[in-house]
Amino acid sequence: MKKLFFLLWVMLPLFIGSCGNSKVDDTPTNEEARDSVQNDSLTTYMQRLDSINSYSGELRHLNVYKLGKMNSIEFEVYSIESKSDTVEYINLRKDCGGEYYYDWENAMLLAEEVKFFVEAIDTVLANFDRAVSNEERYVYITKDDIRLITENENKNGKWIANLSVDYRKKNSYISLSKEDFETLKNMLLAGEKKVKELRNK
């Protein structure tokens, strides 16, 4: 009896410990994994870019690779280099000023974001000619406030789309036709390809 009591006394802490350490399935969903990649990548790149730009007394070197222009938005790839680091990203640039002045707005898009942006474009295109029975919108916003919005107010049956370099800023958008979506995709994919080329130099 004493042996049984002793055995139970020894096994009790082990049993309690094993219950406390029981494994819970915390595997992230595809959406959580995607958000994590986007957030982590952009945060890291923003910090690196900020680090490069914040040092005074250190020479910095900027290379700009022109991809093309879509209406009034210029698509470029920026490569910013310091003594300790180099950061490459796609830049969307637009004059958001009025009739008598310029007000250039730049928006950063990481190569890692292009895949998700293109997926959003494909979804919008698949629904662009669809009839609706109520008001509908598709909205995609990048981490640096580039916004693609497509809406159908169920008035004349037409979908209206626009692309903005900063949706919080006046005059920051261009209207898109259905044909413009393919041009937009090509610009984004060309930017992604160029960034990868620069990283693999």
Side-chain angles (χ1 to χ4, degrees), residues 22-67:
S22 62
K23 182 165 176 58
V24 177
D25 185 12
D26 57 357
T27 307
T29 64
N30 286 344
E31 188 173 324
E32 289 170 339
R34 179 182 70 183
D35 289 344
S36 176
V37 167
Q38 284 181 293
N39 289 331
D40 293 346
S41 297
L42 186 64
T43 301
T44 301
Y45 261 80
M46 287 286 204
Q47 288 170 347
R48 287 171 60 191
L49 184 61
D50 185 58
S51 178
I52 289 173
N53 285 328
S54 63
Y55 288 117
S56 57
E58 185 174 302
L59 182 65
R60 290 176 286 276
H61 180 208
L62 169 66
N63 280 301
V64 179
Y65 303 91
K66 304 280 188 184
L67 299 172

Side-chain angles (χ1 to χ4, degrees), residues 23-148:
K23 182 165 176 58
V24 177
D25 185 12
D26 57 357
T27 307
T29 64
N30 286 344
E31 188 173 324
E32 289 170 339
R34 179 182 70 183
D35 289 344
S36 176
V37 167
Q38 284 181 293
N39 289 331
D40 293 346
S41 297
L42 186 64
T43 301
T44 301
Y45 261 80
M46 287 286 204
Q47 288 170 347
R48 287 171 60 191
L49 184 61
D50 185 58
S51 178
I52 289 173
N53 285 328
S54 63
Y55 288 117
S56 57
E58 185 174 302
L59 182 65
R60 290 176 286 276
H61 180 208
L62 169 66
N63 280 301
V64 179
Y65 303 91
K66 304 280 188 184
L67 299 172
K69 193 170 182 178
M70 187 174 167
N71 297 340
S72 57
I73 296 179
E74 297 175 13
F75 289 75
E76 305 160 326
V77 167
Y78 279 18
S79 176
I80 301 177
E81 181 181 359
S82 70
K83 186 169 63 175
S84 56
D85 199 5
T86 303
V87 175
E88 304 90 356
Y89 60 90
I90 301 162
N91 191 70
L92 276 65
R93 179 174 168 84
K94 185 182 187 306
D95 175 21
C96 302
E99 188 177 352
Y100 302 107
Y101 65 96
Y102 291 109
D103 182 13
W104 291 99
E105 182 70 24
N106 291 283
M108 179 171 66
L109 180 70
L110 298 184
E112 290 78 5
E113 292 184 276
V114 168
K115 175 186 174 184
F116 307 113
F117 205 154
V118 168
E119 285 176 1
I121 293 169
D122 287 338
T123 299
V124 167
L125 274 174
N127 288 277
F128 204 76
D129 294 319
R130 180 172 54 82
V132 300
S133 57
N134 54 278
E135 187 174 335
E136 285 190 40
R137 287 184 183 86
Y138 288 96
V139 182
Y140 183 82
I141 302 175
T142 71
K143 298 302 178 182
D144 199 26
D145 297 333
I146 300 168
R147 183 181 73 178
L148 174 66

Side-chain angles (χ1 to χ4, degrees), residues 140-169:
Y140 183 82
I141 302 175
T142 71
K143 298 302 178 182
D144 199 26
D145 297 333
I146 300 168
R147 183 181 73 178
L148 174 66
I149 182 169
T150 310
E151 54 190 333
N152 190 328
E153 295 183 349
N154 194 27
K155 291 179 181 176
N156 56 11
K158 290 184 179 179
W159 287 86
I160 297 170
N162 66 59
L163 174 70
S164 174
V165 295
D166 183 350
Y167 70 92
R168 295 184 178 94
K169 195 160 192 175

